[in-house]
């Protein structure tokens, strides 16, 4: 794009580079904000369906989108309060540092072949490094609020995030060793066909994907690891004293981090923007449409992983803080170290033909298992009564009359 601006508009290299950076930053900000709005709507619908909650399945128009808009307007016009005992500067600074840590990760995240704000040969390392700075905003928010509940939530979340970053980074190194590069664009390009996806490369990368996803869920403060927001103990954790727009920045950071860690998983394990069954020579003749298709495929894969995070949140109960730390230090950390050692030995000792056969067999078994799951779900729905799944929240008979009286 820089060459296009220089050659077509006659701009100097410095001005063209600055204009490209400005356009890329605005596109990323709009994407992060739009994704946060979409995820808020999606999470409300997911929790409503899984837990049979009346409100999310009924309120806000046909698809519930009006409720999200109403929430956004409420946050914009809500009074911005700062506690009297709070540190004025730290209290204001915390949400913005947390959001910047999650937003900067998108700078090195490729959405398609070459479609990245800033190509980096150490893209994985950069993303993990900048996302770890989110913890500073959380600590400042908890400490600067002048509340013991916010302080407890901030310290608890800092311990959790720092602990889970270690096994998560070790799991990231597993596909990096296979690819021989930390450039996410290069790693994704190596996974053109479905059986070339690194999740099927060997048993260690297969287990590393699930271990990484578990650590990423905890690193994003998602249930069952959301001990920083344990309402029964801490009211709301590190953001107890926040309201209005500053409160929304914490949730924009959380949803942005969810997409960022899902994007890393897609590029490292799930083929990136590659569909898995479309040859590269066909994509080469599609021009810009190949990249547009790649963006759609990449975003859908990342959204699917985000949906799984929401599914887990509204299905599993919350763990205690000692269980959260024990899961990381006693189980996930040794497992990730074993995976790192195992993939190194696999790369050094396993013949190429054996590795290729294993990846094809593992891919076939995974596709067969997925097909069986889809078939089971479809046959289960066909066996339901003609009315479908009974909706326990639909008021009928005397319940409707009681509601009318109220």
């Amino acid at each position: 794009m820089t060459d296009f601006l220089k050659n077509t508009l006659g701009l100097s290299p410095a001005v063209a580079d600055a204009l490209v950076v400005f356009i890329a930053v605005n596109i990323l900000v709009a994407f992060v904000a739009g994704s946060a709005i979409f995820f808020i709507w999606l999470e409300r619908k997911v929790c409503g369906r899984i837990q049979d909650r009346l409100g999310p399945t009924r309120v806000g128009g046909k698809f519930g989108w009006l409720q999200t808009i109403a929430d956004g307007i409420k946050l914009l016009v809500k009074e911005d309060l700062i506690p009297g005992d709070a540190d004025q500067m730290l209290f204001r600074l915390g949400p913005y540092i947390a959001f910047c840590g999650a937003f900067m990760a998108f700078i090195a995240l490729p959405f398609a072949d070459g479609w990245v704000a800033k190509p980096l040969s150490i893209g994985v390392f950069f993303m993990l490094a900048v996302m770890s700075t989110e913890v500073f905003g959380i600590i400042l928010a908890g400490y600067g609020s002048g509340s013991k509940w916010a302080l407890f939530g901030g310290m608890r979340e800092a311990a959790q995030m720092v602990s889970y970053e270690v096994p998560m980074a070790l799991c990231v190194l597993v596909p990096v060793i296979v690819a021989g590069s930390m450039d996410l664009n290069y790693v994704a390009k190596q996974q053109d066909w479905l059986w070339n996806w690194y999740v099927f490369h060997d048993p260690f990368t297969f287990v590393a994907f699930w271990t990484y996803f578990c650590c990423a869920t905890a690193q994003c403060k998602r249930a069952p690891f959301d001990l920083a927001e344990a309402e029964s103990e801490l009211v709301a954790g590190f953001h107890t004293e926040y309201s209005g727009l500053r409160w929304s920045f914490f949730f924009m950071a959380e949803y942005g981090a969810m997409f960022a860690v899902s994007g890393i998983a897609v590029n490292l394990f799930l083929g990136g923007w590659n569909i898995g069954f479309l040859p590269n020579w066909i994509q080469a003749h599609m021009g810009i449409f190949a990249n547009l298709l790649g963006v759609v495929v990449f975003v859908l894969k990342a959204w699917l992983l985000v949906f799984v995070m929401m599914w887990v949140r509204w299905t599993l109960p919350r763990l205690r803080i000692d269980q959260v730390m024990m899961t990381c230090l006693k189980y996930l950390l040794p497992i990730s170290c074993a995976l790192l050692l195992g993939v190194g030995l696999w790369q050094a000792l396993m013949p190429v033909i054996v590795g290729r056969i294993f990846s094809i067999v593992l891919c076939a078994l995974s596709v067969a298992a997925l097909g069986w799951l889809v078939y089971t779900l479809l046959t289960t729905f066909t066996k339901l009564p003609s009315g479908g799944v009974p909706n326990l929240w639909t008021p009928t008979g005397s319940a409707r009359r009681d509601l009318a009286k109220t």
Side-chain angles (χ1 to χ4, degrees), residues 135-203:
V135 70
F136 294 110
I138 292 173
I139 293 176
L140 291 181
Y143 177 77
S145 295
S147 167
K148 62 179 180 180
W149 306 118
L151 180 61
F152 289 160
M155 295 299 102
R156 182 181 286 185
E157 181 58 28
Q160 177 180 322
M161 291 183 67
V162 172
S163 299
Y164 275 89
E165 283 173 359
V166 178
M168 187 174 74
L170 292 176
C171 292
V172 164
L173 290 178
V174 173
V176 166
I177 290 176
V178 175
S181 173
M182 288 191 292
D183 186 351
L184 287 172
N185 195 80
Y186 174 83
V187 175
K189 289 173 65 175
Q190 306 308 307
Q191 309 173 62
D192 47 357
W193 292 98
L194 183 63
W195 52 83
N196 288 333
W197 290 6
Y198 285 155
V199 68
F200 305 124
H201 184 272
D202 56 70

Side-chain angles (χ1 to χ4, degrees), residues 325-344:
M325 301 305 295
M326 182 185 66
T327 301
C328 174
L329 302 177
K330 191 175 180 179
Y331 297 103
L332 295 178
L333 185 57
I335 290 174
S336 59
C337 292
L339 294 174
L340 185 61
L341 177 61
V343 75

Side-chain angles (χ1 to χ4, degrees), residues 51-129:
Q51 298 189 345
D52 285 334
R53 298 192 177 196
L54 176 62
T57 60
R58 296 291 187 273
V59 177
K62 184 176 182 180
F63 298 103
W65 56 274
L66 285 174
Q67 184 64 41
T68 303
I69 297 178
D71 289 341
I73 296 175
K74 179 187 69 174
L75 291 176
L76 289 175
V77 301
K78 193 173 183 179
E79 185 178 3
D80 185 16
L81 300 176
I82 299 179
D85 295 333
D87 187 300
Q88 299 287 323
M89 184 183 71
L90 299 183
F91 187 85
R92 289 185 171 92
L93 198 59
Y96 308 126
I97 293 180
F99 174 75
C100 288
F103 170 74
M104 288 178 62
F106 286 82
I107 295 176
L109 182 64
F111 287 76
D113 188 8
W115 284 28
V116 56
K118 181 63 176 177
L120 294 175
S121 59
I122 55 170
V124 178
F125 176 79
F126 175 82
M127 291 188 67
L128 294 178

Side-chain angles (χ1 to χ4, degrees), residues 46 50-51 223-224 308-318:
V46 169
I50 290 179
Q51 298 189 345
V308 174
M309 290 186 183
M310 296 178 182
W311 184 359
V312 170
R313 174 181 180 180
W314 299 105
T315 305
L316 300 180
R318 178 183 285 123

Side-chain angles (χ1 to χ4, degrees), residues 32-33 35-37 39-40 43 75 95 98-99 102 134 220-222 226 229 231 236 238-240 242 244-259 313-314:
V32 174
S35 296
I37 295 174
F39 291 151
I40 291 172
E43 183 140 37
L75 291 176
F99 174 75
E134 183 184 352
C220 291
K221 309 177 290 296
R222 301 293 297 181
D226 60 336
E229 303 171 26
E231 294 89 350
F238 59 90
H239 53 71
T240 299
Y242 283 87
L245 189 61
R246 289 195 180 94
W247 181 85
S248 68
F249 271 92
F250 284 115
F251 277 83
M252 289 181 64
E254 179 177 323
Y255 288 122
M258 289 170 61
F259 187 92
R313 174 181 180 180
W314 299 105

Side-chain angles (χ1 to χ4, degrees), residues 200-372:
F200 305 124
H201 184 272
D202 56 70
F204 304 103
T205 55
F206 185 80
V207 178
F209 168 73
W210 300 106
T211 307
Y212 168 84
F213 189 75
C214 180
C215 295
T217 303
Q219 205 267 345
C220 291
K221 309 177 290 296
R222 301 293 297 181
F225 306 101
D226 60 336
L227 268 299
E229 303 171 26
E231 294 89 350
S232 59
E233 308 169 27
L234 303 175
V235 184
F238 59 90
H239 53 71
T240 299
E241 305 297 338
Y242 283 87
S243 63
L245 189 61
R246 289 195 180 94
W247 181 85
S248 68
F249 271 92
F250 284 115
F251 277 83
M252 289 181 64
E254 179 177 323
Y255 288 122
M258 289 170 61
F259 187 92
V261 296
S262 299
I264 294 176
V266 170
N267 279 322
L268 291 180
F269 296 98
L270 302 179
W273 53 84
N274 295 298
I275 300 178
F277 51 84
L278 190 64
N280 284 335
W281 63 270
I282 294 181
Q283 300 184 49
H285 289 81
M286 293 174 61
I288 192 174
F289 295 102
N291 281 339
L292 293 176
L293 177 62
V295 170
V296 173
V297 172
F298 175 83
V299 171
L300 289 178
K301 289 180 180 179
W303 280 357
L304 179 61
L305 295 182
V306 172
F307 167 75
V308 174
M309 290 186 183
M310 296 178 182
W311 184 359
V312 170
R313 174 181 180 180
W314 299 105
T315 305
L316 300 180
R318 178 183 285 123
L319 301 176
R320 298 195 311 267
I321 183 61
D322 60 313
Q323 294 173 329
V324 170
M325 301 305 295
M326 182 185 66
T327 301
C328 174
L329 302 177
K330 191 175 180 179
Y331 297 103
L332 295 178
L333 185 57
I335 290 174
S336 59
C337 292
L339 294 174
L340 185 61
L341 177 61
V343 75
L345 295 176
W346 181 280
Q347 287 293 101
L349 303 177
M350 189 61 62
V352 177
I353 184 64
V354 176
R356 176 63 62 183
I357 294 174
F358 179 87
S359 62
I360 294 176
V361 171
L362 182 59
C363 176
L365 292 176
S366 300
V367 172
L370 180 61
W372 174 82

